[in-house]
Each structure stands twice: as C-alpha cells, then as structure tokens.
Amino acid sequence: MNRVIGLTKKLDIDRSIAMGSIMLLGLFAAQAVGVYVTLWQYGLLGHFKPQLYAGILYYSLGLVVFVKGISYSLRYLSYEDGARGIIRVRQDFREGWFNVSYLVAFMVPMVCLPTFMALFSSMKSTIHLIQPFYLDELLMKADRFIHFGIDPWRITHAIFNSAIASAILNYFYNLWFFIMFSYVLWHIVNVHFGKERLQFLLAFVLVWPVIGSLLAVLFSSAGPVYYGDIVGDNSIYGPMMDILRHYHSQFENSAFGIFALNTQDMLWADYLKNDTNIGSGISAMPSMHVAVTALLYFSGRQMHRYIGYGMLVFLVIIQIGSVHLGWHYAIDGYVSIFLTWLIWRVSGWVVRRFVMPNPAQI
C-alpha cells in the first residue's frame, strides 16, 4: 500500500511524499535546534535571526510561477498532438497544483528554506566567535604541497592573466546564486521527479549545516583574501590582491569589474562589527560555493547527461574562480567536492531504503 490515508479520500497523501516531507521537516527542525542551542551555549543569541531572509519568500513565489510555467510548457510540448488541448491543461493542473500530495511536497521546502538559509547565515557570521580562525597557515602550506610548491593562485593568474578574464570569472562566480536558486526551485516544483528530486533536496539540506556550519567551525579559517589580516603576513596573498585591484581599476565607471573586492570589504566590515546580515560571515574551509556546485553536478548528471556536462563545466569555473578571486584555498574546494559526494551517496541510500521504490508520478 503506497498511500497514507487522511480524514477523507480527497486528503490522501502519497506515502513517498509523506515520508520525504517528514525527512525534510526533520532536517529543518534539527538545523534550527542545533543553531539555537549552539548560539545559546556561546551567549550569541543576538545573532539568531530566523527572519533574515523572510522577504525572499515573496520573490521566490514569483519565480516559482515562472519556473513552473517553463517546466509545464516543456512537458506539454512533449505530448502528442492528439493529447493536447485545454482539457488536458485543466486535468494536469488539477492533478498537480490542486493535488494534496503535490501541495505538501511543494510547500514543505518552499516555506522552510528561507528560514533555513537565515539560520545558516546566523551560524556562519559567528564562526570566528565560536572558534577563532586558526587554520589559514596550515591550509596555505597544504595548498603549496599539493601543487608542487606553487601557490595555486599563481597558476590561475598565469592562465587568466588579464582584467577581462578575471572579470568573467567574477561574473560566473556571482552567477552561482542565480543558478543554484533556480535549480533548487526547479526541483521543488517538479514533484514528478520523484526519488531524484528527494535525493537532491535531502542532500541540499544536509550540505549547508554539515559542510557550511559544523565543519566550517571545526576547520575555522578566513581565506586568502584575509590571510594578511589574520596571520599577519601579506607577502603571500598581498600580490594577488594587488593584481585584482589593478584589474578592477581598469573598469572604472563600468558595469563590469572585479566586484568580489567590494563584497570582501563588506564581509570584513561585518566581521569587525560582529554583525549578522544577509550573506554575512567569513569562512574558507570547506567551500560552500564549490560544495553546492558539486551537488548541482551530481544531481544534474542524474537528470540528463547534458545538464551534467553543463554543471561540470560550471563546477570547474567555480573552483578556479574561488582561488583566482582570493575567496578560498584550492584545498577548500577539493575537500568540499569529496564531502558533497559522500552526502549525495548517503542521501541516495536513505531515499532508496526508506522511500517506496516507485513513488507516484504527480
């Protein structure tokens, strides 16, 4: 039997949808409790701001309508000519948007994710207060050892040795949020993806607190851009930052440039004030930019090989950009890819083990 019976037959919920939603709610609740208890234990509850991203929900709903429209249009065009028409559209929406199972599967991640991300930012902005940055020098040395005695940024700057190339890397690095956000919404609205959808959402909800919070505290580090301020040695990454500032100066009064520099200054200002704002917080190891992009790749190649190819290219660009722009040590990304792969595999095992093998296609 693959249904959880409600009060009436109209409220029946597909068993796999119910179990998947319970899993996601459990992870959302665990993160909220974990962040609250941690901040309370360290006397940092002033940084506990679950409402930080509340406004994003309204923008998300608008984008959801757009994403759903695109997704349904592609699905509709796949029908044979005789199966198209207003009756089929009405039937699809009755079985989709107005289906209880669909609404539960859609609303659980949609409503919880803004608070989830807000609590991640709350935690990230307090990493240095819980565990002062201590690992930067070791990570710098590990980078040199892995890359045969060469600082990885010197390799990327030897290859992408122009202002325009650096600005393009910066552009794609900033594009990360839009691609990540769109891909997540794409999975939220397409409940018919079934096990593949749930595996991605479970992994996504695990990656942030495990890699971006727990391990970020254990491996507390600031990153190359702040190395001189934290370690007191500007000779290693100071030349890299001088090059980036020189490149940025070439785009004066332009819509293009190395805008990572402005963001890095803003994050440092929040760090000095011990403030928690949207996007605030400094952390190098592991890299969430690389971790999430790796997750998009693992999921994308499962959905379609061409999506996988595109996400693999994007992953390489993000890894290079994270080093080139001074955000991360190269090893931050390598570790993130491996850890994300582990989380992806565990999430897949959980779905196969605890979710019905043939979930209803809504």
Side-chain angles (χ1 to χ4, degrees):
M1 192 172 185
N2 195 38
R3 302 191 73 82
V4 174
I5 305 301
L7 296 176
T8 70
K9 288 236 173 181
K10 290 183 179 180
L11 295 180
D12 286 359
I13 300 177
D14 184 88
R15 182 180 183 276
S16 62
I17 297 296
M19 293 185 67
S21 299
I22 291 171
M23 289 179 188
L24 288 173
L25 284 171
L27 291 175
F28 287 134
Q31 185 231 23
V33 171
V35 172
Y36 182 89
V37 170
T38 300
L39 297 184
W40 169 76
Q41 183 177 3
Y42 285 90
L44 299 170
L45 281 180
H47 294 270
F48 188 78
K49 298 183 178 181
Q51 77 290 351
L52 193 60
Y53 289 91
I56 202 173
L57 180 61
Y58 302 105
Y59 297 104
S60 301
L61 290 173
L63 189 55
V64 158
V65 174
F66 174 76
V67 172
K68 181 63 176 178
I70 296 296
S71 298
Y72 181 73
S73 296
L74 294 173
R75 180 181 175 186
Y76 181 79
L77 291 174
S78 70
Y79 294 151
E80 296 181 0
D81 291 341
R84 298 177 184 175
I86 189 64
I87 294 177
R88 184 56 185 265
V89 173
R90 187 165 59 244
Q91 177 185 342
D92 285 344
F93 272 78
R94 186 184 302 118
E95 294 175 355
W97 281 102
F98 304 111
N99 176 282
V100 174
S101 290
Y102 181 92
L103 290 174
V104 170
F106 167 76
M107 292 302 295
V108 167
M110 191 67 212
V111 171
C112 293
L113 276 175
T115 300
F116 175 82
M117 297 308 300
L119 294 179
F120 169 77
S121 288
S122 297
M123 190 70 191
K124 184 178 180 181
S125 63
T126 60
I127 288 174
H128 66 286
L129 299 174
I130 297 172
Q131 174 79 283
F133 299 133
Y134 76 97
L135 205 59
D136 286 89
E137 187 172 3
L138 179 61
L139 293 175
M140 178 274 293
K141 291 179 179 179
D143 256 9
R144 281 185 175 176
F145 177 78
I146 292 173
H147 297 88
F148 307 101
I150 303 172
D151 293 317
W153 73 265
R154 296 188 181 276
I155 299 173
T156 69
H157 278 263
I159 299 172
F160 303 95
N161 58 353
S162 69
I164 188 66
S166 298
I168 290 173
L169 284 175
N170 188 104
Y171 172 80
F172 278 102
Y173 204 79
N174 289 345
L175 192 63
W176 172 87
F177 179 80
F178 176 77
I179 291 178
M180 180 267 294
F181 193 44
S182 299
Y183 192 87
V184 171
L185 289 180
W186 185 50
H187 272 70
I188 288 177
V189 302
N190 284 294
V191 179
H192 69 278
F193 287 166
K195 291 187 294 184
E196 290 79 8
R197 171 186 182 269
L198 182 57
Q199 181 178 1
F200 169 74
L201 291 177
L202 286 177
F204 185 82
V205 175
L206 281 169
V207 159
W208 291 88
V210 173
I211 295 180
S213 295
L214 176 61
L215 294 182
V217 171
L218 292 177
F219 302 124
S220 182
S221 49
V225 60
Y226 308 117
Y227 188 91
D229 297 295
I230 299 299
V231 179
D233 182 0
N234 286 304
S235 65
I236 302 172
Y237 299 105
M240 175 187 67
M241 299 310 300
D242 290 339
I243 292 172
L244 291 174
R245 294 187 188 98
H246 172 66
Y247 286 160
H248 187 57
S249 68
Q250 297 180 35
F251 294 99
E252 190 173 358
N253 300 321
S254 169
F256 218 41
I258 316 298
F259 296 111
L261 297 171
N262 299 329
T263 306
Q264 290 162 353
D265 288 342
M266 179 194 71
L267 293 178
W268 186 252
D270 286 339
Y271 163 79
L272 293 177
K273 294 184 294 184
N274 289 327
D275 206 357
T276 298
N277 292 307
I278 292 177
S280 64
I282 292 174
S283 177
M285 167 67 83
S287 166
M288 281 307 300
H289 258 72
V290 174
V292 171
T293 312
L295 179 59
L296 298 187
Y297 163 63
F298 296 140
S299 173
R301 70 177 182 175
Q302 185 182 67
M303 302 304 296
H304 194 284
R305 62 176 179 172
Y306 290 118
I307 297 176
Y309 294 155
M311 289 302 181
L312 178 58
V313 171
F314 191 53
L315 174 58
V316 172
I317 292 173
I318 293 300
Q319 170 66 25
I320 293 172
S322 70
V323 173
H324 190 85
L325 299 170
W327 287 112
H328 290 282
Y329 307 98
I331 195 174
D332 298 345
Y334 304 155
V335 170
S336 293
I337 292 171
F338 175 71
L339 293 174
T340 302
W341 176 78
L342 287 179
I343 290 174
W344 173 251
R345 294 300 298 270
V346 169
S347 298
W349 177 84
V350 169
V351 172
R352 291 189 299 272
R353 175 67 176 81
F354 297 104
V355 179
M356 293 298 290
N358 294 304
Q361 301 295 295
I362 298 172

